[in-house]
Amino acid sequence: MASERPADGTVGKALDVLELVAGHGAPVRFSDLLSVSDHPKATLYRLLQTLTNQQMLRHDAESGTYSLGVRLVRLAHSAWSQSSLAPIARPHIDALSQATGETIHLAQLDAGHVLYVDKRNAARAIEMFAQAGRVGPAYCTGVGKAMLAHLDPGHLDEVLKAQSFHRHTANTIATAVDLRAELARIRARGYAFDREEHEPGIICCAVPILSRIGKPIGGLSITSSTNRATLEDLETHADKLLNAAGRIAEDAESWRFPERI
């Protein structure tokens, strides 16, 4: 909401409105935006008009709804190409998906949370939360824990403060103390598991993508469901994951990424 952000003038207000439209997940009417916006009716209408004129939003006159515009999509694609591992990792995750027949996720840490930047579905796709562009919790996902396990102590302390430790399932690690113990086991083993900690029935094995100095620049996972695989089944692919992560890290050596924790 606008009241929760620094006073950034008209630009900040416009970004608030963009976020409201994007967060709705579907074309949204003015009245629905007004009900959740901090802006007065006239201000909201003016901002929507400006964003529509600039092609950041699209207005459907017939349905009276607003949705994200083509210009914003182009900017988002450019940002994705320039600031994520996805373009570098694409051939490696394609090969990994073909070799395993399971779903492959590529992620990075963003402000202490997991940002999924790419995905390859299994031959038989599974419905799950993780999709490219979504943000998820780090403390209860395989890729999140794999990356957290290799943060330096100072960064880890900051990131743990950002975790909500909401118990999504009976298996969710719900305290910082328990998570630190889990991260120590992950560092020793070299890879992490998601034991139905975020979603019931969804399991994964995940590894960090580490820079030459050991900094996590991403995470890679193989994901399946409990009705067709076990953690032991996924663990048999750990070497393939580690090899792919190493190749991605090598290809990323000359790539400059934004600092994220």
Side-chain angles (χ1 to χ4, degrees):
M1 293 294 194
S3 62
E4 297 172 344
R5 296 177 182 270
D8 293 326
T10 302
V11 172
K13 293 176 182 178
L15 291 175
D16 286 335
V17 173
L18 277 177
E19 191 169 351
L20 284 178
V21 175
H24 196 267
V28 56
R29 293 179 178 276
F30 179 83
S31 58
D32 295 325
L33 291 171
L34 185 62
S35 68
V36 295
S37 173
D38 286 343
H39 301 306
K41 182 177 181 179
T43 300
L44 179 62
Y45 181 78
R46 175 173 52 81
L47 291 168
L48 287 167
Q49 287 293 102
T50 299
L51 290 167
T52 300
N53 292 340
Q54 293 297 316
Q55 296 185 304
M56 302 295 277
L57 290 178
R58 176 179 178 273
H59 182 247
D60 187 317
E62 185 173 340
S63 64
T65 58
Y66 293 89
S67 56
L68 299 183
V70 292
R71 185 177 181 185
L72 184 62
V73 173
R74 287 197 299 268
L75 289 172
H77 178 75
S78 178
W80 174 85
S81 299
Q82 295 178 41
S83 66
S84 85
L85 276 173
I88 297 169
R90 184 180 298 117
H92 302 295
I93 65 173
D94 284 345
L96 191 57
S97 179
Q98 292 174 7
T100 64
E102 295 288 0
T103 298
I104 306 300
H105 289 117
L106 176 71
Q108 293 176 256
L109 279 180
D110 188 355
H113 303 288
V114 169
L115 171 63
Y116 293 96
V117 296
D118 211 347
K119 176 180 182 177
R120 293 295 177 275
N121 280 319
R124 291 180 295 146
I126 306 167
E127 281 293 323
M128 65 184 79
F129 170 85
Q131 303 288 339
R134 281 191 172 177
V135 176
Y139 66 95
C140 60
T141 53
V143 283
K145 292 189 295 180
M147 291 185 283
L148 293 183
H150 291 82
L151 291 179
D152 65 57
H155 278 182
L156 180 59
D157 289 343
E158 291 180 39
V159 167
L160 291 187
K161 293 176 184 177
Q163 307 307 306
S164 64
F165 291 107
H166 171 75
R167 191 178 288 279
H168 295 272
T169 75
N171 295 338
T172 304
I173 295 174
T175 70
V177 172
D178 289 341
L179 180 59
R180 286 183 185 275
E182 169 77 346
L183 298 181
R185 290 189 289 269
I186 292 167
R187 282 192 297 273
R189 187 171 54 230
Y191 47 88
F193 293 118
D194 179 344
R195 305 176 181 86
E196 299 182 75
E197 297 164 48
H198 187 213
E199 297 178 86
I202 301 298
I203 56 176
C204 89
C205 180
V207 301
I209 301 170
L210 301 175
S211 70
R212 184 175 297 176
I213 61 172
K215 176 182 177 180
I217 59 174
L220 194 63
S221 72
I222 177 169
T223 304
S224 191
S225 64
T226 54
N227 62 13
R228 77 183 196 195
T230 65
L231 285 173
E232 290 74 19
D233 294 331
L234 298 186
E235 190 174 13
T236 64
H237 298 299
D239 285 343
K240 296 185 185 74
L241 278 168
L242 289 164
N243 289 335
R247 291 193 296 271
I248 294 169
E250 289 176 5
D251 289 349
E253 279 296 322
S254 61
W255 195 271
R256 298 186 64 183
F257 298 100
E259 288 295 321
R260 290 184 170 125
I261 60 170

